[in-house]
Amino acid sequence: MSISANNPDRASWLHVDKNSDFPIQNIPFGVFLTRDDIVTIGTRIGDTAIDLGALHQLGYFDGIPLTDDIFLQDTLNDFIADGRKTWRLVRNRIADIFDDTDDTLKNNKKNKEIVLFRLDEIEMQLPVQIGDYTDFYASKEHATNVGTMFRGKDNALMPNWLHLPVGYHGRSSSIIPSGIPIHRPQGQTLPAGATVPTFGPSNLVDFELEMAFITTDANDLGEPIPISEAEEYIFGLVLFNDWSARDIQKWEYVPLGPFLGKNFASTISPWIVTLDALEPFRVESPKQHPQPLPYLQLGGKNSYDINLEASIKPQEAKETIVCRSNFRYMYWNMAQQLAHHTVNGCPVNSGDMMGSGTISGPTEDSYGSMLELTWRGEKPLKMKDGSERKFIQDNDTVIMRAFSENDDVRIGFGEVKTKLLPVYEK
Ligand code: MN
């Protein structure tokens, strides 16, 4: 089935700013609370949010096999479970409804009042109930930088790293949508030179610039997903800030990997941009040496050209961009991650989320964490207001943005934005 929604010649009868992340070719999916306090599944064109539950009730999806309440839910899990064919039919239909050559809804004032919302009339929610969350460690530059800091240049990459996409099982209970503030975590750390730990606030709170993909029901227990089919099971992507407490992480991580230094909060952007919408931005993955084992081999363009940036906004000052990177730098692509994740028969469900790991590029200004940007705090970053940052300070807001762009169209993710509050006090 063709993805007619992606046609770059389409224009919408809804207003779309020239540099909007959300032209009619995007059509992301999210969940929001409306001005009437009703939760619904929706999409967005320009700065207009569209209530898909109401559109469906009004008959605009007639002819597409959908249950009556598919969009009247507080998560996208059931819609995602309907599979890629349904996602395409729905995206194509939405594109037609809002195409400037179609007058049906455009000329129906009453229906428009029911289904269209300004962004300040809605409140974005988590788009999916995330059952399981896995975080990979898939950027070679990031793994090399962190490995160099902890083990020296010659042992930077562990012996397994070039042979498999390293990952760990994270925790979904602390994944939150953009806009919700978090508190500086407390925990055990081992001060420099000490032999016993102390308890207190983390002094090294950091962001991790990541993308994450959301899966559909993919396989049964025991059944691996072949790499050639892996992308069929990826619904879409979100921007992902995987907050990290480096001092807690450093003391606790041996031998089982990340734990409390990672699971106090992770923030996602609220609109899931479909893999279909990103189709025009496919690029080749970085060359892999040594060649991976056959179950991880895949020819063709399996990475995506997505520009990424992270900035820090101090409480009373303008934001400063501290990093510009790109999703295409990832050494292990999403298809390889999903094939590896399921090669032992581990089932993947609708609404599961897989983080890419910090996406660092080759240059010093493309590193995706403060740990790397300031090289463990040795090279502080200058903010626009004259202050310096080694890590994130109380009341700083971290903002990330992502978009793909070619001569025809720009497909973006909007922002993921989180303020770090001081330690929680009752
Ligand atoms: Mn991470």
Side-chain angles (χ1 to χ4, degrees):
M1 185 197 321
S2 80
I3 314 173
S4 62
N6 287 4
N7 179 357
D9 297 328
R10 273 187 196 276
S12 177
W13 49 263
L14 285 169
H15 173 76
V16 180
D17 282 337
K18 196 170 161 272
N19 281 323
S20 173
D21 279 348
F22 302 98
I24 191 170
Q25 289 80 6
N26 190 338
I27 311 186
F29 291 90
V31 172
F32 57 81
L33 260 177
T34 70
R35 57 194 167 218
D36 311 312
D37 248 6
I38 292 166
V39 179
T40 185
I41 286 170
T43 186
R44 170 176 176 177
I45 295 175
D47 288 339
T48 304
I50 297 155
D51 180 343
L52 295 181
L55 261 189
H56 189 23
Q57 280 181 317
L58 292 166
Y60 285 88
F61 293 111
D62 281 0
I64 300 177
L66 295 167
T67 53
D68 290 347
D69 63 348
I70 193 72
F71 297 126
L72 298 173
Q73 308 205 19
D74 54 11
T75 71
L76 277 155
N77 295 53
D78 286 354
F79 175 63
I80 293 172
D82 280 348
R84 196 171 210 188
K85 191 178 162 202
T86 304
W87 315 333
R88 280 195 181 163
L89 287 168
V90 167
R91 254 183 99 249
N92 288 347
R93 179 68 61 86
I94 294 168
D96 287 341
I97 296 167
F98 291 93
D99 192 295
D100 64 5
T101 61
D102 193 309
D103 292 337
T104 319
L105 178 61
K106 184 182 171 183
N107 290 343
N108 191 327
K109 195 162 173 269
K110 230 172 144 185
N111 283 359
K112 279 199 291 189
E113 272 169 19
I114 298 169
V115 302
L116 303 183
F117 295 83
R118 291 194 318 270
L119 294 181
D120 60 7
E121 295 175 309
I122 63 164
E123 189 184 302
M124 297 304 297
Q125 311 290 302
L126 263 190
V128 279
Q129 179 169 9
I130 300 162
D132 279 309
Y133 152 53
T134 301
D135 199 21
F136 286 94
Y137 189 56
S139 153
K140 190 177 175 185
E141 288 81 0
H142 173 68
T144 303
N145 288 339
V146 174
T148 301
M149 279 183 243
F150 286 106
R151 289 182 296 276
K153 219 172 184 163
D154 296 335
N155 303 305
L157 290 184
M158 297 299 272
N160 59 4
W161 201 92
L162 292 168
H163 297 279
L164 56 85
V166 169
Y168 74 98
H169 289 303
R171 199 163 162 85
S172 48
S173 65
S174 52
I175 298 175
I176 50 173
S178 177
I180 294 182
I182 62 168
H183 287 278
R184 177 177 297 274
Q186 303 202 77
Q188 278 196 29
T189 59
L190 187 69
T195 52
V196 289
T198 55
F199 178 86
S202 165
N203 289 314
L204 308 180
V205 173
D206 199 356
F207 63 78
E208 289 190 333
L209 177 59
E210 303 193 23
M211 303 289 298
F213 64 89
I214 311 286
T215 62
T216 184
D217 290 319
N219 58 331
D220 294 325
L221 182 72
E223 179 196 356
I225 300 173
I227 191 160
S228 59
E229 294 171 21
E231 280 198 353
E232 292 294 311
Y233 301 105
I234 297 174
F235 175 64
L237 281 81
V238 290
L239 245 174
F240 182 46
N241 181 356
D242 189 22
W243 287 91
S244 302
R246 300 300 181 192
D247 40 2
I248 296 172
Q249 181 184 356
K250 192 181 175 193
W251 168 235
E252 73 178 1
Y253 88 104
V254 178
L256 287 184
F259 191 29
L260 305 185
K262 293 284 186 173
N263 68 7
F264 58 96
S266 304
T267 316
I268 63 172
S269 56
W271 295 105
I272 304 176
V273 175
T274 62
L275 205 57
D276 274 355
L278 294 167
E279 189 62 32
F281 303 99
R282 278 183 183 278
V283 286
E284 278 184 28
S285 299
K287 288 268 173 295
Q288 294 185 316
H289 300 289
Q291 192 180 44
L293 289 167
Y295 80 96
L296 291 170
Q297 289 175 15
L298 182 64
K301 297 179 172 178
N302 308 107
S303 291
Y304 294 82
D305 179 11
I306 305 171
N307 301 291
L308 307 170
E309 66 172 48
S311 72
I312 298 172
K313 187 192 171 306
Q315 172 105 305
E316 303 292 347
K318 285 205 172 105
E319 67 179 85
T320 303
I321 294 175
V322 294
C323 156
R324 286 194 172 90
S325 186
N326 194 300
F327 188 56
R328 68 189 297 175
Y329 295 143
M330 281 217 312
Y331 187 85
W332 296 103
N333 61 49
M334 294 183 285
Q336 290 177 315
Q337 290 169 0
L338 195 50
H340 182 67
H341 203 313
T342 59
V343 75
N344 65 346
C346 171
V348 165
N349 296 309
S350 177
D352 284 359
M353 191 179 107
M354 318 271 173
S356 59
T358 306
I359 304 164
S360 294
T363 57
E364 282 182 20
D365 58 353
S366 64
Y367 296 166
S369 65
M370 292 299 274
L371 179 69
E372 296 163 85
L373 288 164
T374 69
W375 210 258
R376 265 186 305 195
E378 289 163 22
K379 297 188 273 183
L381 294 181
K382 259 254 178 312
M383 299 287 104
K384 273 184 186 161
D385 67 354
S387 63
E388 287 189 339
R389 288 293 181 283
K390 295 177 178 175
F391 287 89
I392 305 304
Q393 294 186 0
D394 285 353
N395 299 309
D396 282 352
T397 299
V398 174
I399 306 163
M400 295 175 178
R401 300 184 180 89
F403 66 93
S404 297
E405 197 168 36
N406 60 23
D407 291 342
D408 301 318
V409 70
R410 173 185 168 116
I411 302 291
F413 290 76
E415 312 183 316
V416 60
K417 192 173 185 173
T418 316
K419 185 172 184 178
L420 178 67
L421 300 174
V423 163
Y424 177 81
E425 279 179 89
K426 221 176 173 166

